[in-house]
Amino acid sequence: MNIILLGPPGAGKGTQARRLVEGRDMIQLSTGDMLREAKSSGTEMGERVAKIMDRGELVTDEIVIGLIEEKLNDDRKGGLIFDGFPRTLAQADALAELLARHGEDLGAVIEMQVDDDALVKRIVARSVCANCGEVYNDITKPVPESGECTQCGATEFTRRGDDNEESLKQRLLEYYKKTSPLIGYYYAKNELDRIDGLADIDEVGEQIDRILDR
Ligand code: AP5
Ligand code: MG
């Protein structure tokens, strides 16, 4: 089953996507992660997107649709998790077209609802394992006292360049202006499910499981 995790920055999309990859053998397609990879690769495209991402603005539809299109040719295993894509109506239309071309569709679009105050608190406390990308939080999911990642044992953790209050303000603005209209779009298509993203990580996971097991 292919699903979209839809929600503002810090809603927990990446955290839940990793859980589904582990538990259901699904494949996480995070355009944010793909763009960060391009950013660190030093390519021309990487340099172009780096400045946009650090400001908290959206990269062009053309670039992200191209990234997703490439991935759709790979093995789909237990299904695809679109994490942070689509983010505009044009991207949503492109995704529907791309999936149809592969004879596939969406099994669920899950809106993760979290209020803005919680988002700021979550984002400024986030760190990520530099080796495997496991997501941590200084308050709700701290790195173990041993200093080793629970998933891969690595000991280096990074913080994202756009995880500061100024970029986050812009990311939220972009979300409300360009991405939140997708909630109405998928609701009208009868594809939308809403969950309480403020619950703790396991409870959010259980809400998602109930939707996927329906
Ligand atoms: P992207 O990487 O997608 O960032 P985002 O949407 O801003 O979302 P985040 O990754 O910050 O949050 P998340 O929902 O994954 O939360 P997480 O699980 O980490 O995009 C970055 C940039 O790339 C964009 O700004 C844009 O420039 C560009 N971009 C990407 N896709 C694009 C597209 N399609 N079109 C155009 N541009 C694009 O959790 C956050 C924190 O909270 C963690 O510390 C975690 O441990 C904690 N946490 C998670 N769940 C819970 C919980 N239930 N309770 C308590 N704490 C929790
Ligand atoms: Mg993420």
Side-chain angles (χ1 to χ4, degrees):
M1 186 198 277
N2 303 314
I3 67 165
I4 294 175
L5 295 181
L6 183 62
K13 305 180 293 292
T15 299
Q16 295 300 330
R18 289 181 68 86
R19 193 179 154 279
L20 292 168
V21 167
E22 212 173 290
R24 294 181 181 253
D25 202 27
M26 295 176 79
I27 294 178
Q28 177 187 14
L29 296 184
S30 157
T31 40
D33 287 349
M34 292 175 209
L35 290 166
R36 276 183 288 279
E37 224 170 83
K39 196 175 148 183
S40 58
S41 68
T43 58
E44 195 214 326
M45 193 260 266
E47 277 170 31
R48 235 184 318 145
V49 300
K51 291 193 190 98
I52 302 174
M53 290 175 78
D54 286 345
R55 284 199 300 267
E57 293 166 7
L58 289 191
V59 170
T60 63
D61 289 337
E62 195 191 352
I63 290 178
V64 288
I65 291 167
L67 288 171
I68 289 289
E69 192 170 6
E70 267 175 42
K71 299 282 179 188
L72 287 185
N73 294 321
D74 298 346
D75 180 17
R76 289 183 198 33
K77 292 193 183 173
L80 304 173
I81 309 156
F82 295 98
D83 160 6
F85 179 90
R87 259 173 148 102
T88 62
L89 290 166
Q91 291 177 24
D93 283 337
L95 177 61
E97 206 177 290
L98 283 171
L99 286 173
R101 216 188 286 163
H102 287 267
E104 305 222 4
D105 58 10
L106 286 169
V109 178
I110 301 173
E111 183 205 349
M112 306 178 69
Q113 298 183 315
V114 180
D115 65 50
D116 288 0
D117 287 347
L119 297 175
V120 179
K121 282 190 198 134
R122 282 186 186 181
I123 291 244
V124 295
R126 170 168 54 191
S127 65
V128 178
C129 171
N131 179 50
C132 75
E134 183 67 5
V135 186
Y136 291 92
N137 187 285
D138 299 341
I139 297 146
T140 57
K141 189 183 162 185
V143 172
E145 266 178 37
S146 66
E148 290 173 6
C149 173
T150 52
Q151 299 300 307
C152 72
T155 53
E156 203 188 316
F157 301 88
T158 56
R159 294 195 190 255
R160 273 168 46 178
D162 58 349
D163 276 356
N164 56 74
E165 287 205 36
E166 200 183 320
S167 303
L168 180 59
K169 216 186 269 175
Q170 185 60 36
R171 284 157 67 193
L172 278 171
L173 256 173
E174 294 280 70
Y175 178 79
Y176 289 117
K177 215 162 64 180
K178 298 175 186 164
T179 308
S180 66
L182 294 182
I183 296 166
Y185 171 94
Y186 287 115
Y187 176 79
K189 291 176 85 175
N190 213 9
E191 290 176 340
L192 189 74
D193 280 288
R194 296 191 161 104
I195 62 167
D196 173 18
L198 273 175
D200 71 38
I201 292 175
D202 288 337
E203 280 175 51
V204 174
E206 283 159 20
Q207 295 178 68
I208 294 175
D209 284 338
R210 281 198 286 277
I211 293 169
L212 300 196
D213 292 335
R214 225 174 12 203

